[in-house]
Amino acid sequence: MNYMRITKENIDKEHICCAMSGKQSIAKKEWMKQRFEEGLVFYRSEERGKCFIEYIPAENAWIPIEANGWIYINCLWVSGGMKGHGYSNELLGECIRDARAKRKNGVCILCAEGRKREFLADPKFLKYKGFKTADISDCGISLMYLPFVPNAELPKFRKCARYPKVAEDGFVLYYTDQCPYTYYWVPKVQEVAKEHGIPFKAIHITDKESAQSVPAPVTTYALFRDGRFLTQGIQSDKKFLALAGVRD
């Protein structure tokens, strides 16, 4: 497989394979443009399909972790017909090569087991590649790491991510434009929540500092109910109603 790097010079004309079309793609691209100067790297397959890796220096990552000197992988996604050909190995290998060249302590990434894994990495794959667990949130999401430097301080969650909770009752959602699907689905969920009288509050995170203080290990989409973290899985309007116990 051949890969290409998306940069500020080519992003307007190139497809980003995680994105939906139209405005969803524009929102994601605008988010990326603002991150390139902070060290964001996005590699994708030259073929069309969901096959890419996105990573950034952990100091600039939009999640509540402490990992100075590390690279944080925002997303490693290979799906559909792209699966089963070793592309995940190739993409991860490029990230590792780049991180070593930049003399980083290592790389880290979020993962979870089973049903909790939606939009997160597979811990079995990471363990096979030599990753270890650095920290675990109460909600079952883990921070895994691959070290390059002996005795380097390990990545860890900030307290707000290790013990995710909010004070408000009802549904509370934190989200960013880092994932293009939030642009499409969040307004639809807001609409059906209003139609059915479901208490719902959406908090749009638009800067790094706010993202690093979100009370959950995932910030692209973190949904709470009555103070308790529910899921990082992006909800369609129908899925949300089912989650709220409403038959539509």
Side-chain angles (χ1 to χ4, degrees), residues 13 17 34 42 70 123 133 147 162 169 173 192 221 234 244 247:
K13 63 181 180 180
C17 45
Q34 297 173 39
F42 189 102
W70 293 76
T133 300
R162 189 177 295 116
D169 290 332
L173 170 67
V192 297
Y221 194 98
I234 296 173
R247 293 184 179 181

Side-chain angles (χ1 to χ4, degrees), residues 66-68 70 105 133-134 143 145 147 149 151-157:
E66 296 177 6
N68 290 345
W70 293 76
N105 292 331
T133 300
L143 178 63
Y145 72 103
V149 178
N151 302 318
E153 185 174 357
L154 298 185
K156 62 181 179 181
F157 286 123

Side-chain angles (χ1 to χ4, degrees), residues 5-6 19 24-25 29-30 38 51 60 72 87-88 106 119 131 158 160 178 191 201 218 224 228 241-242:
R5 181 170 175 173
I6 302 298
Q24 295 86 357
S25 175
K29 285 185 174 184
E30 287 302 315
E38 299 176 348
C51 181
N60 295 326
Y72 173 72
Y87 301 148
S88 292
F119 292 103
F131 282 72
R158 294 185 177 184
C160 59
Q178 185 176 344
E191 183 178 347
K201 177 182 178 182
V218 180
F224 293 80
R228 184 174 61 88
L241 289 177

Side-chain angles (χ1 to χ4, degrees), residues 16 19-31 33:
I16 50 173
M20 304 165 77
S21 60
K23 293 180 179 179
Q24 295 86 357
S25 175
I26 292 173
K28 167 68 174 181
K29 285 185 174 184
E30 287 302 315
W31 185 90
K33 288 176 183 179

